[in-house]
């Protein structure tokens, strides 16, 4: 088979959910995370023969652990949230690169270049999200402890947790560098945890205490780098109506009009499926070709149209 020039391959962006590293019921040891990554990385390794690939990922459990460690130690100065996001980008990028490299070598591919990129994502300081923090992060506190903390908290089913803002991503700062790298044949790992949230301050950027949704940031990145296929990999088969109910029904395809209607009807949870559906709609609405939501162990099947929920512009498209 003739080796295809990198720039002639279509571009695939795979957004890995947190379950790609830590599954429900696990404590999240390094050994567990490496073992879990081997499944999607084996699929991505195979897909790399036919696609230029960008990988994004979540970081909720990892950044939460760092916040918990800070709460347990007063000896070392505490770090702001954007620094912790940067730390997890490096941590998870290393784990993805090493696991993917292992999968590539098992296929006899020893020269595929990989790179993990620390990524900034610009948010708008006038975003209405800044007026109403909504994203719980970090450890759980009692009501009494929460009342003494220097930041806002919210009551969750587990207890009180710190709450931060979750603004919409405006642009990916390193979009040109990412495009140059994939055009040169690199597999790029970037926008970890939704990216490091920054606001413009003249000609520079200032970090902010915020969390950007990983799927919405991935959709923006896909739009800005000319991605052909956008796959969001999670812990369910795809998009379901009446999820968790006796009449639960998974969809093999979903057009944008129906997706908007299902959102209004309250079918998708704000903390789970809703941002993924919104990300798919955003990508197709900006001119993207294909968007699919699938299970983390069926990425290759989703790419070939055999798994997941594929979003389409309209019925009959």
């Amino acid at each position: 088979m003739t080796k295809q020039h990198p720039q002639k391959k279509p571009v695939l962006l795979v957004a890995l959910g947190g379950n790609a590293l830590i599954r429900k019921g696990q404590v999240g040891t390094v050994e567990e995370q490496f073992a879990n990554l081997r499944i999607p990385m084996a699929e991505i390794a195979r897909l790399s023969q036919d696609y230029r690939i960008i990988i994004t990922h979540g970081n909720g459990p990892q950044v939460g652990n760092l916040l918990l460690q800070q709460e347990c130690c007063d000896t070392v100065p505490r770090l702001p949230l954007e620094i912790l996001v940067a730390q997890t980008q490096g941590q998870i990028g290393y784990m993805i690169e090493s696991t993917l490299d292992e999968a590539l070598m098992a296929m006899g591919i020893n020269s595929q270049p990989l790179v993990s990129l620390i990524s900034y994502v610009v948010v708008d300081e006038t975003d209405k999200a800044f007026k109403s923090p909504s994203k719980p992060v970090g450890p759980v506190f009692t009501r009494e402890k929460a009342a003494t903390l220097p930041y806002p908290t919210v009551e969750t089913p587990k207890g009180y947790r710190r709450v931060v803002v979750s603004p919409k991503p405006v642009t990916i700062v390193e979009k040109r560098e990412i495009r140059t790298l994939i055009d040169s044949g690199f597999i790029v790992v970037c926008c970890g945890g939704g990216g490091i949230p920054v606001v413009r301050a003249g000609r520079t950027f200032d970090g902010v205490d915020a969390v950007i949704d990983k799927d919405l940031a991935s959709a923006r990145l896909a739009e800005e780098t000319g991605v052909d296929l956008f796959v969001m990999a999670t812990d369910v088969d795809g998009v379901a109506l009446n999820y968790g109910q006796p009449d639960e029904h998974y969809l093999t395809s979903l057009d944008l009009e129906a997706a908007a209607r299902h959102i209004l009807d309250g079918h998708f949870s704000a903390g789970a499926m809703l941002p993924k559906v919104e990300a798919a709609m955003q990508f197709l609405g900006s001119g993207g070709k294909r968007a699919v939501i699938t299970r983390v162990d069926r990425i290759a099947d989703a790419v070939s149209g055999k798994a997941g929920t594929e979003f389409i512009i309209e019925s009959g498209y």
Side-chain angles (χ1 to χ4, degrees):
M1 183 175 67
T2 304
K3 188 175 181 180
Q4 195 174 10
H5 189 279
Q7 292 190 23
K8 294 187 181 297
K9 295 180 181 179
V11 182
L12 165 64
L13 191 155
V14 179
L16 297 172
N19 58 294
L21 284 89
I22 302 177
R23 297 178 182 174
K24 290 179 181 178
Q26 293 183 333
V27 297
T29 65
V30 169
E31 292 78 12
E32 287 173 338
Q33 293 184 61
F34 272 117
N36 293 336
L37 274 175
R38 289 191 180 98
I39 296 171
M41 290 306 111
E43 300 207 357
I44 289 173
R46 293 195 299 272
L47 290 167
S48 70
Q49 297 178 97
D50 299 311
Y51 291 87
R52 288 173 284 167
I53 294 179
I54 301 171
I55 302 171
T56 63
H57 59 83
N59 72 339
Q62 292 79 13
V63 81
N65 286 342
L66 291 177
L67 286 166
L68 178 58
Q69 288 173 347
Q70 291 197 152
E71 291 294 335
C72 296
C73 178
D74 293 325
T75 304
V76 179
R78 297 186 181 187
L79 299 173
L81 187 56
E82 73 266 17
I83 299 298
L84 301 184
V85 172
Q87 288 183 346
T88 61
Q89 285 188 357
Q91 169 193 344
I92 299 172
Y94 157 70
M95 298 179 78
I96 289 175
E97 272 198 55
S98 59
T99 309
L100 179 54
D101 196 37
E102 177 184 287
L104 288 164
M105 288 190 291
M107 294 174 58
I109 301 173
N110 301 312
S111 58
Q112 171 64 56
L114 314 172
V115 64
S116 296
L117 196 65
I118 299 297
S119 314
Y120 304 168
V121 176
V122 176
V123 298
D124 185 351
E125 58 188 334
T126 67
D127 190 314
K128 63 181 180 181
F130 281 98
K131 297 181 180 179
S132 54
S134 61
K135 182 70 174 178
V137 297
V140 176
F141 303 101
T142 63
R143 180 192 297 269
E144 293 73 23
K145 177 63 177 179
T148 69
L149 297 173
Y151 42 75
T153 60
V154 64
E155 188 175 9
T156 72
K158 294 182 179 180
Y160 286 81
R161 299 178 68 194
R162 179 181 179 180
V163 64
V164 298
V165 300
S166 185
K168 302 291 187 184
V170 175
T171 186
I172 313 303
V173 175
E174 295 82 8
K175 54 185 175 290
R176 289 180 294 274
E177 291 86 346
I178 293 167
R179 182 72 203 201
T180 297
L181 286 164
I182 60 173
D183 284 348
S184 300
F186 282 80
I187 295 177
V188 181
V189 183
C190 58
C191 285
I196 302 167
V198 297
V199 295
R200 293 191 184 276
R203 296 174 61 88
T204 61
F205 299 103
D206 287 339
V208 293
D209 259 3
V211 172
I212 304 171
D213 181 83
K214 172 262 303 173
D215 294 308
L216 294 178
S218 299
R220 182 66 67 202
L221 173 64
E223 174 189 348
E224 294 185 328
T225 56
V227 164
D228 298 288
L229 172 56
F230 176 29
V231 175
M232 287 168 277
T234 183
D235 58 354
V236 293
D237 291 326
V239 178
L241 301 183
N242 303 314
Y243 178 72
Q245 303 301 317
D247 56 345
E248 173 183 284
H249 172 60
Y250 278 93
L251 305 172
T252 57
S253 66
L254 184 59
D255 67 70
L256 299 189
E257 182 180 346
R261 186 169 63 251
H262 294 323
I263 289 173
L264 290 176
D265 290 341
H267 277 286
F268 310 131
S269 168
M273 187 55 69
L274 179 59
K276 290 176 170 44
V277 172
E278 290 178 333
M281 295 172 67
Q282 175 184 316
F283 176 62
L284 290 187
S286 66
K289 297 175 183 177
R290 291 182 65 202
V292 186
I293 297 174
T294 191
R295 212 169 61 213
V296 73
D297 59 350
R298 300 204 66 186
I299 296 171
D301 284 341
V303 168
S304 62
K306 299 176 183 177
T309 302
E310 179 155 354
F311 286 73
I312 57 177
I313 300 296
E314 59 185 10
S315 296
Y317 171 72

